[in-house]
Amino acid sequence: MSHGDGDHERFAHYVQKDKIMASALDGTPVVALCGKVWVPGRDPKKYPVCPMCKEIYESMGPGGDKDKGGKGE
């Protein structure tokens, strides 16, 4: 699990949408599908999607957790 260093900084990560909203309101850290833990602060649209998050999300299929589709930083 990464805590804000290395390759994880170069990607936008998949995070539960409700967790992103909570973090925006109270500054609580979020956990991406790949395991990265951080407090979002940058525009995720400026970064490519984390390959590990994307692979996990795509493997979830149609019956997966529908909330896990928002991109955090």
Side-chain angles (χ1 to χ4, degrees):
M1 184 179 323
S2 174
H3 292 280
D5 56 354
D7 288 345
H8 288 282
E9 292 305 307
R10 294 185 230 155
F11 298 112
H13 297 272
Y14 285 115
V15 177
Q16 288 180 333
K17 290 179 185 177
D18 62 329
K19 302 294 183 190
I20 294 171
M21 292 299 292
S23 179
L25 293 172
D26 60 21
T28 56
V30 296
V31 180
L33 290 179
C34 68
K36 178 185 177 178
V37 178
W38 84 109
V39 177
R42 289 182 258 167
D43 182 0
K45 294 175 186 163
K46 295 181 179 180
Y47 302 92
V49 174
C50 168
M52 189 180 296
C53 281
K54 184 176 182 179
E55 183 178 329
I56 294 167
Y57 180 73
E58 289 174 352
S59 73
M60 294 168 79
D65 184 343
K66 293 178 183 164
D67 288 339
K68 290 187 179 175
K71 285 189 212 173
E73 161 192 339

